Amino acid sequence: MPETRDLLDLTDEELDCWLKERGYPRYRRDQILAWVFDRLVTDFEDMTNVPRPMRSDLSQSFHIACSKVVAVRKSADDAASKLLILLEDGQKIETVIMRYRYGISACVSSQVGCKIGCAFCASGASGFVRDLTAGEMVGQVLAANRSLGSDERVSSIVVMGMGEPLDNFDALVKFMELIHDSDRTGIGYRRITVSTSGLVPKILELASLRLPVTLAVSLHAPDDLLRNRLVPLNRVYPVSTLIEAAGQYAETTGRRVTFEYALIRRVNDSDECARSLARLIKGMLCHVNLIPLNPVSGIALERSDRVQAFHDLLQNEGIDVTIRRELGIDIDAACGQLRRRHAEP
Ligand code: SAH
Ligand code: SF4
């Protein structure tokens, strides 16, 4: 079988170019996009207002990424579900769907594996395999939409699945542009959050694009000694440079930065840590999201029992702080905790 391109990875210009080369009128683009993004079809033969010969031409030229969902797990309370998706090259990724009062959010993976290797994370523990393409990221959103009821659609995106999104910068930006496009999913930039372990130059590059996207910084520790142990990338971009970059991001985009802080028992959950954290970020346009650690098999770190105390201390210091609602913990669906289990044979 000849290799096909992923239709979801194409910009309008690229799609128009294909149409033009083969002598198809431009309005076919709108039809194709409507089938793929509104009607959510994955088989070109289903595009009934497209002439048959063109449908087979499309099938021979293209495929639609992430059309193979091989497993779905729903949490007991139905608030979260996790899709296991088979990619064209046989790799598997996971996408998590979370229901909130204000809408439905998809937690999208950006890479297969991750290079960063944080001490508490399942994604990093199995090493890096490859970057995802923009199309494969778009495909996750469509796979999520297909798994929802016909009147429901993903309305916000968190790029907090497997991988370090800023380590796959060009694909990430292309992904955000594609899903923002009103002929595709039309998801506003304000409804997109990108989570990073702290690739400082890329934070600044993202800021320079001036997209009103929310940046989440996975801080997890208020000083270099501790953060070096938890997030090895800290040895390259220490806490002070990371905080400065986050501040610049907030200033340039006007968007409040989120600091994520996974609370690990007796590692980063002391009152002293909370006070240092407060000192570090005081006065910044930011917010702290405390995440109770999700224990990972094979990693000897435990969930903190001081989540509320840590929260209260930060709050007393005048820091805007929340505790992340735990969705789908029973299906290992917590973001950033996509499991090795599926990656292993
Ligand atoms: N690589 C990016 C985005 C994916 S991880 C990043 O690190 O930010 C998404 C979030 O889940 C990060 O804040 C990450 O630190 C957190 N996370 C990873 N493993 C976790 C675990 N076992 N328990 C709680 N949070 C975890
Ligand atoms: Fe990679 Fe993020 Fe996991 Fe760290 S927490 S290993 S950066 S996915």
Side-chain angles (χ1 to χ4, degrees):
M1 221 175 85
E3 253 191 37
T4 55
R5 291 160 80 192
D6 172 16
L7 188 90
L8 304 183
D9 202 54
L10 300 191
T11 59
D12 284 355
E13 293 71 33
E14 289 166 324
L15 198 49
D16 286 350
C17 185
W18 183 86
L19 291 168
K20 200 169 165 201
E21 264 169 20
R22 286 159 200 255
Y24 296 124
R26 207 210 58 87
Y27 72 86
R28 295 288 182 202
R29 187 229 291 165
D30 300 336
Q31 287 181 322
I32 295 167
L33 291 181
W35 280 110
V36 173
F37 286 91
D38 299 338
R39 311 281 292 273
L40 303 173
V41 305
T42 54
D43 184 346
F44 296 102
E45 286 307 319
D46 293 337
M47 301 183 173
T48 48
N49 61 356
V50 171
R52 267 178 208 283
M54 185 176 169
R55 280 187 240 166
S56 71
D57 203 1
L58 281 165
S59 313
Q60 278 161 23
S61 304
F62 300 114
H63 65 270
I64 288 171
C66 303
S67 27
K68 295 186 196 103
V69 174
V70 289
V72 182
R73 287 180 73 190
K74 278 190 196 304
S75 65
D77 61 0
D78 228 25
S81 47
K82 183 173 71 169
L83 309 180
L84 180 64
I85 295 171
L86 180 65
L87 301 176
E88 295 297 301
D89 65 352
Q91 292 295 333
K92 287 177 191 149
I93 54 168
E94 291 178 335
T95 305
V96 177
I97 304 164
M98 294 162 293
R99 284 172 194 280
Y100 294 99
R101 256 176 325 218
Y102 56 79
I104 298 172
S105 181
C107 176
V108 169
S109 294
S110 57
Q111 298 177 318
V112 182
C114 182
K115 295 175 198 161
I116 310 292
C118 299
F120 45 81
C121 176
S123 302
S126 37
F128 176 74
V129 180
R130 71 166 172 90
D131 283 328
L132 294 183
T133 63
E136 287 168 331
M137 297 172 76
V138 173
Q140 294 175 63
V141 181
L142 293 187
N145 278 341
R146 281 194 296 277
S147 79
L148 297 170
S150 57
D151 56 338
E152 292 179 316
R153 285 285 190 270
V154 167
S155 55
S156 62
I157 304 286
V158 291
V159 190
M160 283 192 188
M162 197 193 296
E164 168 50 54
L166 295 188
D167 184 38
N168 187 13
F169 192 83
D170 294 346
L172 172 76
V173 172
K174 185 175 179 184
F175 160 68
M176 295 195 293
E177 285 168 356
L178 287 169
I179 56 165
H180 176 260
D181 175 36
S182 58
D183 290 332
R184 290 177 172 76
T185 41
I187 296 173
Y189 288 124
R190 287 189 158 70
R191 294 182 170 274
I192 303 176
T193 298
V194 173
S195 177
T196 181
S197 56
L199 275 168
V200 165
K202 295 294 175 187
I203 292 176
L204 299 177
E205 197 175 337
L206 187 64
S208 72
L209 301 180
R210 291 176 186 274
L211 302 173
V213 166
T214 299
L215 182 73
V217 173
S218 299
L219 191 60
H220 307 312
D223 61 72
D224 288 327
L225 205 62
L226 191 51
R227 196 163 190 272
N228 284 347
R229 275 171 56 199
L230 297 177
V231 184
L233 185 66
N234 195 71
R235 297 190 191 117
V236 187
Y237 304 112
V239 171
S240 57
T241 60
L242 180 54
I243 297 297
E244 201 182 310
Q248 202 163 320
Y249 188 91
E251 227 165 80
T252 316
T253 61
R255 302 290 292 165
R256 191 172 71 152
V257 171
T258 299
F259 287 110
E260 289 166 285
Y261 198 106
L263 282 163
I264 311 169
R265 197 168 113 91
R266 296 206 176 143
V267 173
N268 64 356
D269 64 347
S270 67
D271 286 354
E272 187 40 43
C273 280
R275 275 192 285 268
S276 313
L277 175 61
R279 275 196 300 274
L280 192 65
I281 60 174
K282 208 157 209 164
M284 206 170 138
L285 180 62
C286 71
H287 152 255
V288 173
N289 195 15
L290 298 175
I291 315 169
L293 184 84
N294 289 306
V296 173
S297 64
I299 298 180
L301 294 172
E302 290 166 53
R303 162 177 296 224
S304 168
D305 50 7
R306 305 195 69 250
V307 177
Q308 194 61 47
F310 202 91
H311 167 274
D312 295 349
L313 209 153
L314 283 178
Q315 198 165 52
N316 288 340
E317 294 283 337
I319 303 291
D320 192 357
V321 53
T322 49
I323 299 172
R324 184 191 281 179
R325 192 178 139 212
E326 292 191 88
L327 286 179
I329 188 132
D330 55 332
I331 56 166
D332 305 334
C335 282
Q337 231 234 322
L338 303 176
R339 288 297 179 118
R340 270 176 287 181
R341 195 176 301 156
H342 296 296
E344 282 168 0

